[in-house]
């Protein structure tokens, strides 16, 4: 996976070539659910930090292309890291 991160970044790839249904997790549509969960947790943080003059929000729609709903490379990589932590793969 480390090779994937460096090689995909060095090509300048911004979005995956395959749709969101292709991912590393076992569960169906796990990548899309991960993106939705990430967005909702960012919304909660945005409300808290808005008072401090800072606004951070990840837009769910910008994480996928309009054609075929291809995920951004950044989202796919965050999801890969999530799957590694979820199944404790670094321990094996």
């Amino acid at each position: 996976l480390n090779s994937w991160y460096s090689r995909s970044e060095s090509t300048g790839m911004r979005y995956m070539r395959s749709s969101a249904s292709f991912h590393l997790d076992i569960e169906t549509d796990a990548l899309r659910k991960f993106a939705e969960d990430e967005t909702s947790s960012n919304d909660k943080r945005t409300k808290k930090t808005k008072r401090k003059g800072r606004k951070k929000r990840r837009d769910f729609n910008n994480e996928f292309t309009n054609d075929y709903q291809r995920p951004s490379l950044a989202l796919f990589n965050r999801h890969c890291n999530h799957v590694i932590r979820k199944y404790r793969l670094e321990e094996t």
Side-chain angles (χ1 to χ4, degrees):
L1 212 48
N2 285 330
S3 294
W4 161 258
Y5 294 143
S6 63
R7 290 178 181 161
S8 59
E9 186 176 325
S10 68
T11 65
M13 182 190 323
R14 291 181 35 215
Y15 289 91
M16 301 296 290
R17 292 183 62 192
S18 300
S19 69
S21 60
F22 296 96
H23 52 74
L24 299 181
D25 206 338
I26 296 169
E27 300 170 23
T28 305
D29 223 18
L31 178 58
R32 184 170 306 285
K33 181 164 177 10
F34 173 77
E36 289 170 357
D37 291 347
E38 217 180 33
T39 302
S40 67
S41 69
N42 282 340
D43 286 346
K44 290 174 188 171
R45 278 181 275 186
T46 299
K47 290 175 186 173
K48 290 178 184 176
T49 59
K50 230 178 190 180
R51 294 181 213 127
K52 297 177 185 177
R54 289 179 282 160
K55 184 178 178 183
K56 283 188 176 181
R57 182 176 185 205
R58 181 171 287 124
D59 186 2
F60 177 77
N61 294 324
N62 289 334
E63 295 289 358
F64 297 93
T65 62
N66 290 332
D67 63 332
Y68 307 108
Q69 293 296 297
R70 296 177 298 129
S72 70
L73 176 62
L75 172 64
F76 183 81
N77 287 343
R78 288 193 307 273
H79 183 250
C80 289
N81 290 331
H82 169 75
V83 170
I84 290 168
R85 286 189 306 274
K86 178 180 174 180
Y87 296 107
R88 298 179 180 175
L89 298 176
E90 69 277 346
E91 295 174 11
T92 59

